[in-house]
Amino acid sequence: MALLHLLHESRFRDVVVCHLDHGLRGSDSRGDASFVRRVAGKMGFEVEVGKVDVRGLMEERKESLETAARAARHEFFAECGKSHRCGRLLLAHHADDQAETVLWNLMRGSHGLRGMQEVREMKMGGRRMEVVRPLLGTRKSVLREWMVEKGFRWREDASNAENDVVRNRIRNEALPLLGEISGRDVAGMLVREAAGGEGLRELVSWAVGKAEAIDPQGRLHAKVLGGLPAALQVAVVSDFLKSNGVGGISTELLESCVAMLDVKNPASVNLPGGGRLRRRGGRIFMETR
């Protein structure tokens, strides 16, 4: 709602407000949808409201509730983007969301302090979307204060207080406990560190390009890769996996992939989501199952 009011006050006109009812909270969910319709309608914005059975999707796809819900939202956003011929999606993630993401990624073994990007191209429902998060550097408390000062109303999702999913436990338990132990604003520290790492990632990206470890067929050249500094080897392999659509890249996975440069080690590594990275004839390449 803060993002919606900021867009309205900034005189944005060509806006479509997309709201998906996950079907998880009964009358509260329906009330949210009605609230969005009413507020956005008064602003003169077009509104798209959809509904999906997230629990049913979770069981059908054998996914966690969070993963199924995210996939459903992305599919809905892609449908809205297609019907309105719009390829740009604005999301209201704020700095506290960023802190949760950085900590969760770190706990899962991500390579470095990684969070969400302010502007990023993502594939949603088979469609490329430019995702923009204009509030990513703003703390939730600041947004709340602004909303109260302006007299703007919003609705609270009561399920956010329940510690039944990872995100909620990080928000409600882990971050407050870490703050209590350290005597510091841990969320703010995580956001600053992640932002500070962007400059380093730009430098690494430049070095990866200069390494020229990819052959004309799009495979990793093992000899060239083996001649690079260890840190750059990891960066090149990470970039190669991402370019080939591999997600869930951890430090452990990258170590296993780089170890393939030694012919004494196994010539293949299983990748998240299926497929393998394989070494053959001095080249390292993707192999689908």
Side-chain angles (χ1 to χ4, degrees):
M1 295 309 296
L3 175 60
L4 183 61
H5 283 288
L6 283 166
L7 291 173
H8 185 245
E9 290 207 342
S10 300
R11 300 188 183 280
F12 277 70
R13 291 291 178 266
D14 193 13
V15 174
V16 180
V17 179
C18 306
H19 177 86
L20 182 64
D21 179 353
H22 294 68
L24 296 172
R25 294 180 294 115
S27 60
D28 283 345
S29 290
R30 293 190 293 274
D32 288 347
S34 297
F35 181 68
V36 170
R37 280 188 186 277
R38 185 168 63 254
V39 175
K42 286 182 179 178
M43 294 177 179
F45 294 149
E46 192 167 349
V47 184
E48 290 278 3
V49 174
K51 185 172 182 178
V52 65
D53 176 12
V54 169
R55 289 198 187 280
L57 284 178
M58 177 182 69
E59 295 172 3
E60 177 186 328
R61 300 176 181 179
K62 308 300 181 186
E63 297 174 333
S64 69
L65 187 66
E66 290 174 289
T67 300
R70 185 186 309 112
R73 286 195 300 274
H74 286 185
E75 290 166 9
F76 174 64
F77 293 149
E79 290 171 5
C80 292
K82 182 178 180 180
S83 63
H84 291 276
R85 298 182 180 180
C86 178
R88 181 175 292 122
L89 173 67
L90 275 67
L91 299 177
H93 293 114
H94 46 68
D96 294 73
D97 293 322
Q98 178 75 314
E100 295 166 17
T101 300
V102 172
L103 182 56
W104 179 224
N105 285 343
L106 189 61
M107 290 163 61
R108 292 190 295 177
S110 68
H111 186 57
L113 289 175
R114 294 187 175 273
M116 295 175 282
Q117 294 173 286
E118 188 171 336
V119 181
R120 179 189 175 191
E121 187 176 273
M122 293 178 64
K123 192 172 183 180
M124 296 183 174
R127 179 181 176 83
R128 287 284 177 183
M129 299 284 284
E130 181 188 30
V131 177
V132 184
R133 298 180 174 94
L135 304 181
L136 202 55
T138 307
R139 297 299 295 268
K140 184 177 182 178
S141 58
V142 173
L143 295 172
R144 279 180 172 272
E145 289 171 7
W146 180 76
M147 291 284 285
V148 171
E149 180 184 326
K150 289 283 189 175
F152 296 143
R153 295 175 56 228
W154 69 89
R155 286 173 64 92
E156 292 284 353
D157 183 344
S159 67
N160 286 336
E162 299 173 4
N163 295 323
D164 56 345
V165 294
V166 172
R167 278 279 190 174
N168 289 4
R169 295 200 67 186
I170 290 175
R171 180 188 311 120
N172 301 329
E173 297 180 351
L175 285 172
L177 180 59
L178 289 172
E180 180 185 327
I181 293 171
S182 65
R184 301 178 62 186
D185 175 17
V186 174
M189 179 193 68
L190 288 170
V191 171
R192 287 191 297 273
E193 289 299 318
E198 284 301 318
L200 178 59
R201 281 189 280 276
E202 288 180 12
L203 179 59
V204 169
S205 179
W206 174 84
V208 166
K210 290 293 184 180
E212 298 183 342
I214 307 294
D215 73 8
Q217 287 72 44
R219 303 168 300 179
L220 285 169
H221 194 299
K223 185 176 181 180
V224 174
L225 185 61
L228 300 176
L232 188 51
Q233 290 176 358
V234 172
V236 169
V237 171
S238 178
D239 182 74
F240 179 76
L241 294 177
K242 289 176 184 175
S243 299
N244 282 279
V246 178
I249 301 172
S250 66
T251 299
E252 183 181 7
L253 173 65
L254 292 174
E255 289 174 351
S256 297
C257 293
V258 170
M260 292 172 61
L261 291 172
D262 187 340
V263 295
K264 296 176 184 177
N265 292 324
S268 69
V269 172
N270 291 330
L271 299 172
R276 295 187 184 90
L277 193 66
R278 182 173 291 280
R279 181 192 70 237
R280 183 187 297 145
R283 299 294 188 269
I284 296 174
F285 53 92
M286 296 283 297
E287 184 177 74
T288 57
R289 288 179 179 174

